[in-house]
Amino acid sequence: DAGVTQSPTHLIKTRGQHVTLRCSPISGHKSVSWYQQVLGQGPQFIFQYYEKEERGRGNFPDRFSARQFPNYSSELNVNALLLGDSALYLCASSLAFPGPYEQYFGPGTRLTVT
Amino acid sequence: AQTVTQSQPEMSVQEAETVTLSCTYDTSESDYYLFWYKQPPSRQMILVIRQEAYKQQNATENRFSVNFQKAAKSFSLKISDSQLGDAAMYFCACYYNQGGKLIFGQGTELSVKP
């Protein structure tokens, strides 16, 4: 079975632009979470979605938004990009919510903002 | 505030030896779970071991075991018979059912010397 997939692998954007990152969960998983990992730090929680509804949100500005589709895939959108948004964006899927179901991580999307 | 602290930015171990990575956490929640993740240079975050906070018995997974001290809010990872493939960044993380968020520490970079 395929693991969590993310696209694109790398992305370079200019300040002020908008970006959309995509994630496909493991087959059968209904929950998707997004994390931002700045170089040299641990991942920071951004959002969790389950059954197409937002179930959790981290301390990120409103420029960050996400959604989950009927097939459980997800998009993370970031508007008005800042240099500080440069990071590795990780998507993780799990079976369900709530509950400490194991989160399986994708390889990430490396976003560089210039 | 929910925080996870890893006080060792870097650790080194000789191949076949044992190493212990430290982690402390701070929470007022009673419903939480603890994890250790491994992130090799390839960036893929891999679950190493998990511990339910309500369980007194320390979790073990092959060469990996934890020392969970709930009163001290300490959760260390012991790697026995270290192998070259164990070299990676290790993250301690705490999962809270409320909000479905996984809070990560800053990470410990482990190097294994042949």
Side-chain angles (χ1 to χ4, degrees), chain B residues 13 17-21 36-39 46-51 58-67 75-90 110 112:
Chain B
V13 63
E17 296 295 309
T18 296
V19 64
T20 298
L21 309 183
W36 277 97
Y37 280 89
K38 168 186 177 180
Q39 188 177 39
I46 302 164
L47 177 66
V48 174
I49 197 166
R50 62 178 278 168
Q51 172 79 45
N58 290 324
T60 299
E61 195 71 42
N62 299 316
R63 298 183 295 108
F64 299 88
S65 62
V66 300
N67 183 5
F75 181 61
S76 61
L77 174 70
K78 185 171 82 171
I79 306 174
S80 303
D81 187 24
S82 297
Q83 301 175 359
L84 295 177
D86 294 334
M89 185 71 83
Y90 284 81
L110 177 68
V112 181

Side-chain angles (χ1 to χ4, degrees), chain A residues 31-102:
Chain A
S31 177
V32 170
S33 299
W34 287 96
Y35 296 84
Q36 179 196 65
Q37 186 177 18
V38 174
L39 191 63
Q41 297 182 18
Q44 298 287 315
F45 172 76
I46 309 176
F47 289 111
Q48 186 195 26
Y49 275 78
Y50 174 63
E51 292 287 9
K52 302 182 291 296
E53 290 188 13
E54 182 184 303
R55 305 291 180 152
R57 173 186 281 256
N59 294 326
F60 280 80
D62 292 343
R63 299 185 296 107
F64 288 77
S65 64
R67 56 179 176 168
Q68 186 177 33
F69 299 98
N71 66 354
Y72 303 108
S73 67
S74 177
E75 282 183 354
L76 175 69
N77 295 283
V78 186
N79 293 322
L81 285 167
L82 303 174
L83 294 179
D85 296 331
S86 295
L88 180 68
Y89 288 84
L90 297 168
C91 172
S93 78
S94 57
L95 271 173
F97 175 85
Y101 298 97
E102 291 179 13

Side-chain angles (χ1 to χ4, degrees), chain B residues 7-97:
Chain B
S7 58
Q8 306 155 315
E10 298 176 352
M11 290 285 284
S12 181
V13 63
Q14 205 71 33
E15 194 176 5
E17 296 295 309
T18 296
V19 64
T20 298
L21 309 183
S22 302
C23 173
T24 58
Y25 60 96
D26 188 16
T27 181
S28 56
E29 305 265 348
S30 58
D31 187 14
Y32 62 92
Y33 302 79
L34 297 162
F35 300 86
W36 277 97
Y37 280 89
K38 168 186 177 180
Q39 188 177 39
S42 65
R43 308 185 318 211
Q44 190 92 31
M45 193 79 74
I46 302 164
L47 177 66
V48 174
I49 197 166
R50 62 178 278 168
Q51 172 79 45
E52 286 80 358
Y54 61 85
K55 288 186 178 179
Q56 292 186 340
Q57 186 173 4
N58 290 324
T60 299
E61 195 71 42
N62 299 316
R63 298 183 295 108
F64 299 88
S65 62
V66 300
N67 183 5
F68 176 45
Q69 302 290 327
K70 191 171 183 177
K73 294 183 179 175
S74 170
F75 181 61
S76 61
L77 174 70
K78 185 171 82 171
I79 306 174
S80 303
D81 187 24
S82 297
Q83 301 175 359
L84 295 177
D86 294 334
M89 185 71 83
Y90 284 81
F91 291 99
C92 176
C94 189
Y95 177 88
Y96 301 93
N97 263 333

